[in-house]
Amino acid sequence: MDYFLSEEQQMIVDIARQITNERIIPKRAELDEKDEFPREILNEMAQADLFGVPIPEAYGGFGGGCFDIVLALEELGRGCIGVGTAFAASSLGVYPILISGSDEMKEKYLFDVASGKKFAGFGLTEANAGSDASGIQTTAVLDGDEWVINGTKQWITNGGEAQIYTVIAITDRSKGPRGATMFVVEEGDPGFSCGPKEKKMGIRASSTTELIFKDCRIPKDRMIGRKGTGFITVMKTLDSSRPGIAALGIGLAQGALDEAASYAKQRVQFGKPIISFQAIQHMLADMAIGIESARALVYGAAKHIDAHPKDMSKVSSMCKVYATDVAMKVTTDAVQVMGGYGYMREYPVEKMMRDAKILQIYEGTNQIQRNVIGQEINKEYARS
Ligand SMILES: Cc1cc2nc3c(=O)[nH]c(=O)nc-3n(C[C@H](O)[C@H](O)[C@H](O)COP(=O)(O)OP(=O)(O)OC[C@H]3O[C@@H](n4cnc5c(N)ncnc54)[C@H](O)[C@@H]3O)c2cc1C
């Protein structure tokens, strides 16, 4: 379907498509095999100004919105969502600064992230605080002109590769949800280190590590927004970023359909290409229907979010759940269409199926997203 993109939007798609076709697709199997961070490819994305898409022009970016970043991530996701995740996590890492940071803080960090000179990461999750983020144990205590942070964040994308991390910590436990605050931690801050890279099922091009704080001292002015607003900033950050995860899902599913359909045209069994069998055609048809519906929902949700509505959480969760469930189903069906060859590393669909699973887990599991949607519906109908 034609979404009648503007010239600027088409330009974002074209740039991301070129990098995907020429750089990501030829390299993705090797990155996966070697658990290798795609630094060179990310540098090329930086040169093509892709990191600047969600950053305001005043801070060296393109000044794009949620829809623009969705367009870029959909294309990257078609190639490899491991690379796409590394790219997306840098935006995720600076959303707290964009949303709640002071002008001085934006000035200090956003130029470098927009140019791709520095990467960012976002630290919320801990060993005992996954879906229930209120269980975080990391603390930050003011000591003179410095905050002293102690604790460990777990499974942080771009860990060890980023230079800037936005991190939430408890600043006043007695205040409950109003007792947490976000901070910027920089690579090299005293008392801050990253753990070893986790070994993962998929998205192996992306780096995932712990962030470890042992009496980590940072200047007082690294606090993001006001004290006690950490969870509000986290929720707004995730509402803004989830359509990007949905977009990775659409791209991934599209890539899997492309592979499965091309294979089905050339694979001959019983004297005919398998695409001539109705059972295969129906699978391909269902894959295409799922992708096109997910695309329509994600594009619609992204445009809605760009208008800064009140019901951002519901719409953002809806598109994340739907598109990522479609990605899981389509990649699984792509392996089925290709039979035993689909299961072999020689073809990309087994990687796509392994990669797809994370989309239903990170940035809030799909069960939690359904809880959010259900709670919003409950509120709406209580009012009416
Ligand atoms: C590769 C990878 C990268 C990640 N990157 C980051 C990152 O950059 N930054 C960051 O902060 N975090 C990151 N995460 C963490 C991720 O966001 C969490 O894994 C996720 O939020 C789920 O938390 P959990 O894994 O602890 O699962 P749990 O919360 O333990 O959930 C386990 C299961 O129980 C279900 N469940 C839990 N509570 C409920 C409930 N109330 N209702 C229904 N079902 C429920 C869940 O849906 C899930 O199926 C990453 C994780 C991975 C694996």
Side-chain angles (χ1 to χ4, degrees):
M1 284 200 303
D2 193 338
Y3 284 93
F4 304 101
L5 301 181
S6 69
E7 246 178 66
E8 286 86 5
Q9 289 160 348
Q10 191 57 51
M11 188 185 74
I12 293 172
V13 172
D14 291 343
I15 292 170
R17 184 169 292 166
Q18 191 178 356
I19 291 177
T20 297
N21 290 342
E22 293 177 9
R23 301 289 293 119
I24 299 178
I25 291 178
K27 191 91 174 136
R28 64 186 172 192
E30 187 187 334
L31 295 171
D32 176 62
E33 195 75 32
K34 294 184 178 166
D35 265 338
E36 187 180 315
F37 188 74
R39 188 161 287 281
E40 263 180 43
I41 297 176
L42 293 173
N43 286 344
E44 284 182 35
M45 286 185 202
Q47 275 161 23
D49 289 334
L50 278 185
F51 281 92
V53 170
I55 310 250
E57 285 177 60
Y59 301 106
F62 171 81
C66 185
F67 186 48
D68 301 289
I69 195 77
V70 153
L71 293 172
L73 284 169
E74 180 183 352
E75 275 307 315
L76 301 175
R78 189 172 55 78
C80 173
I81 67 160
V83 178
T85 293
F87 171 77
S90 202
S91 305
L92 176 69
V94 288
Y95 276 139
I97 299 174
L98 271 169
I99 291 166
S100 303
S102 63
D103 289 347
E104 293 74 32
M105 187 175 263
K106 288 178 185 166
E107 189 84 26
K108 179 169 179 198
Y109 293 109
L110 296 183
F111 283 100
D112 282 348
V113 174
S115 68
K117 196 171 149 202
K118 291 188 177 168
F119 300 143
F122 172 77
L124 166 65
T125 304
E126 298 179 9
N128 293 315
S131 300
D132 182 6
S134 69
I136 58 166
Q137 299 293 320
T138 298
T139 55
V141 176
L142 193 59
D143 179 24
D145 281 345
E146 291 177 327
W147 287 99
V148 184
I149 306 181
N150 277 290
T152 302
K153 296 289 170 185
Q154 173 170 277
W155 300 335
I156 307 307
T157 303
N158 285 351
E161 302 288 349
Q163 291 73 39
I164 300 164
Y165 300 88
T166 50
V167 173
I168 185 165
I170 299 288
T171 40
D172 187 347
R173 203 173 290 283
S174 69
K175 292 211 166 131
R178 297 260 169 199
T181 307
M182 289 209 78
F183 299 92
V184 179
V185 176
E186 295 180 18
E187 180 188 41
D189 278 336
F192 170 55
S193 61
C194 295
K197 267 172 92 166
E198 302 286 349
K199 296 199 180 303
K200 306 194 292 288
M201 171 197 281
I203 59 162
R204 295 170 59 173
S206 73
S207 156
T208 314
T209 74
E210 286 181 339
L211 308 182
I212 303 160
F213 306 96
K214 283 190 182 153
D215 288 329
C216 166
R217 287 188 166 267
I218 57 168
K220 197 174 165 185
D221 64 3
R222 298 263 200 90
M223 179 170 81
I224 304 175
R226 280 180 294 114
K227 191 178 166 198
T229 57
F231 280 120
I232 297 169
T233 301
V234 162
M235 293 310 149
K236 286 186 181 168
T237 293
L238 293 171
D239 283 347
S240 307
S241 67
R242 280 185 188 122
I245 301 303
L248 286 176
I250 318 169
L252 173 61
Q254 184 66 57
L257 172 60
D258 295 346
E259 291 294 331
S262 313
Y263 179 86
K265 276 180 82 74
Q266 54 85 21
R267 173 70 171 167
V268 174
Q269 288 291 279
F270 302 97
K272 294 177 185 169
I274 61 168
I275 202 165
S276 64
F277 301 133
Q278 199 178 43
I280 295 290
Q281 284 183 14
H282 282 185
M283 284 182 85
L284 295 173
D286 284 341
M287 290 156 86
I289 294 166
I291 295 166
E292 210 57 72
S293 341
R295 186 175 284 125
L297 176 59
V298 176
Y299 285 13
K303 288 184 173 186
H304 185 75
I305 286 168
D306 280 336
H308 307 293
K310 284 210 172 108
D311 59 348
M312 200 159 144
S313 299
K314 180 179 154 199
V315 170
S316 169
S317 295
M318 278 168 49
C319 75
K320 195 266 184 182
V321 165
Y322 190 73
T324 60
D325 283 355
V326 162
M328 193 68 250
K329 176 150 178 35
V330 168
T331 53
T332 307
D333 287 349
V335 172
Q336 190 68 23
V337 165
M338 295 177 63
Y341 288 99
Y343 200 74
M344 299 295 153
R345 292 220 165 164
E346 185 186 346
Y347 287 92
V349 290
E350 65 80 31
K351 170 185 176 309
M352 291 173 169
M353 183 178 155
R354 280 188 286 114
D355 284 352
K357 190 66 212 166
I358 192 58
L359 298 173
Q360 296 177 306
I361 297 173
Y362 65 9
E363 296 216 12
T365 68
N366 284 7
Q367 285 93 335
I368 295 298
Q369 304 313 307
R370 286 184 167 88
N371 289 355
V372 170
I373 298 161
Q375 283 152 12
E376 289 299 318
I377 292 171
N378 192 9
K379 277 192 228 158
E380 283 165 24
Y381 282 82
R383 278 198 295 270
S384 64

